[in-house]
């Protein structure tokens, strides 16, 4: 095994370059604790400012029973999920997932889809019952 092949094989092993990725993305992550689970990733994503604002707007749309407000909030949720899933800074998030400091956001995305479906169903049902009462 020559030095070129050994260098190529060693370049595939996670090393200091990946450790820098985790230090930049998740400074408080401890490698000894193990890889980040889907639940902890979902909680970390849910506690960031944008989802908290969207959750408050969702609650407001449901409390006011506004179908238009619910539609607008669902569109903002969709835009946020699009940015979350497509904003990969040159493969940095992929490297962070390989290293273990980022988990799979599928649980968070499923939760947001459930919230959006609930908003749509609740506000549509309220609108249908109002139209029946007015007739």
């Amino acid at each position: 095994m020559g030095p070129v092949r050994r260098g190529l094989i060693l370049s595939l092993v996670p090393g200091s370059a990946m450790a820098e990725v985790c230090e930049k993305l998740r400074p408080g992550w401890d490698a000894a604790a193990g890889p980040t689970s889907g639940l902890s990733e979902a909680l970390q994503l849910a506690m960031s400012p944008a989802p908290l604002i969207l959750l408050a707007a969702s609650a407001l749309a449901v409390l006011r029973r506004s179908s238009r407000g619910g539609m607008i909030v669902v569109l903002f949720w969709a835009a946020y999920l699009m940015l979350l899933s497509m904003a990969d800074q040159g493969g940095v998030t992929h490297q962070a997932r390989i290293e273990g400091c980022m988990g799979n956001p599928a649980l968070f995305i499923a939760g947001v889809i459930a919230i959006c479906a609930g908003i749509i169903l609740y506000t549509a049902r309220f609108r249908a019952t109002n139209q029946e009462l007015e007739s």
Side-chain angles (χ1 to χ4, degrees):
M1 190 154 131
V4 174
R5 183 188 288 170
R6 189 176 347 183
L8 287 174
I9 291 172
L10 289 177
S11 69
L12 298 175
V13 176
S16 62
M18 287 192 170
E20 287 181 16
V21 169
C22 288
E23 285 179 16
K24 289 179 183 176
L25 289 179
R26 305 278 166 91
W29 179 71
D30 184 20
T36 304
S37 68
L39 181 62
S40 62
E41 182 70 20
L43 290 174
Q44 188 158 4
L45 286 172
M47 292 301 143
S48 59
L52 289 176
I53 292 168
L54 286 172
L55 193 60
S58 300
L60 186 64
V62 167
L63 288 175
R64 296 195 62 185
R65 296 182 177 126
S66 170
S67 59
R68 288 185 185 140
M71 180 187 64
I72 291 169
V73 170
V74 167
L75 288 174
F76 276 113
W77 273 116
Y80 178 73
L81 288 181
M82 183 191 68
L83 288 175
L84 178 71
S85 62
M86 296 184 78
D88 188 11
Q89 304 138 353
V92 174
T93 56
H94 179 68
Q95 289 178 350
R97 285 189 186 123
I98 290 172
E99 183 66 22
C101 59
M102 281 185 76
N104 192 353
L107 186 62
F108 176 74
I109 292 172
V112 169
I113 290 171
I115 289 170
C116 290
I119 290 170
I120 290 169
L121 291 174
Y122 184 75
T123 57
R125 184 183 71 182
F126 182 74
R127 188 173 187 185
T129 56
N130 274 350
Q131 289 175 353
E132 290 173 4
L133 291 175
E134 290 175 0
S135 306

